[in-house]
Amino acid sequence: MDSDNLLGQFLRARRGLVRPEEQGVPVIGHRRVAGLRREEVAMLSGLSTDYYVRLEQGRERNPSVQVVDALARTLMLDDDAVAHLHRLARPVPGRSRRSTRRRQVSPSLLQMMNGWTDTPAVILGRCMDVLAHNPLGGALFAGHTYSGDLMRLVFLDPDARDFYPDWDRVAANTVGGLREAAGTDYDDPQLIELVGELSLKSEAFRRLWARHDIRQKRHETKRFRHPVVGELTLNYESLTINSAPGQQLVVYQAESGGPSAHALSLLGSLTATQTARAADSVGQDIATD
């Protein structure tokens, strides 16, 4: 979590993931490094080796847009990673996002979510912690040790691999999403604590975090194996909340008329019944008092 040379860390990690043959570099004899060598990245990007070394070491911190784009092509970055590389090369100064306000959820947004009785919805903080949910969103993730923290659910929960049938893909996308959400603000105490804990407790997280993959959370299809209603295949959309930077509204939907829609409807019915029983119990307690 050294935040002093984020650009150099990213370049080192990403060149290690590019196979020489993918960029037409001949492989002769034994190579001591995985991926591309520094001099190969420099040559392919039209840079001097000395200049590229200075970039990796943090001694050169103002590469031009043209240099960044050339490096992105050499490192075979996708659109999300290219945008991240530009942010690292030219971080925008501004006030820190570290504030208690980013954990406060708008009451009007909560009211809107609670009206979606057939649609699970959760609001996530930038470290993938669940800041709020509607009843069905809470029911979707209920029953786990870390139901309120999706990063820890994926990597530390004992039943995570059963809950997520496509766990490998979910794990990679989740770490990429955390990197994207962190941006260049690696001094956030919550982020430091989270990455430190997961790095100590999960070898899979350490491996994925070291790749420096970037995955902007937008929309995707995700499978769940719910402990109550069984298999669910849900499409989700992730929406940024303009009034609360760093928060994301994630909304899940099932294909209309399919098995997952029926399972989701059953989960909603069970949730409504449990909520009604809890309200009746509270009412009886008040009457007794």
Side-chain angles (χ1 to χ4, degrees), residues 86-163:
H86 277 280
R87 286 197 300 270
L88 295 178
R90 279 180 170 70
V92 178
R95 63 183 181 181
S96 173
R97 291 174 294 177
R98 283 171 279 160
S99 166
T100 56
R101 290 187 61 189
R102 66 181 172 81
R103 297 187 61 82
Q104 297 174 355
V105 177
S106 165
S108 60
L109 182 55
L110 289 174
Q111 182 179 8
M112 180 178 69
M113 289 169 54
N114 287 332
W116 300 338
T117 56
D118 299 323
T119 304
V122 299
I123 296 177
L124 302 179
R126 62 194 296 262
C127 289
M128 307 295 177
D129 47 331
V130 179
L131 304 181
H133 57 74
N134 65 3
L136 195 51
L140 179 62
F141 292 99
H144 306 285
T145 305
Y146 296 100
S147 294
D149 188 320
L150 299 193
M151 285 298 305
R152 289 181 171 89
L153 193 160
V154 171
F155 290 100
L156 300 182
D157 213 287
D159 58 357
R161 292 177 183 267
D162 186 58
F163 181 57

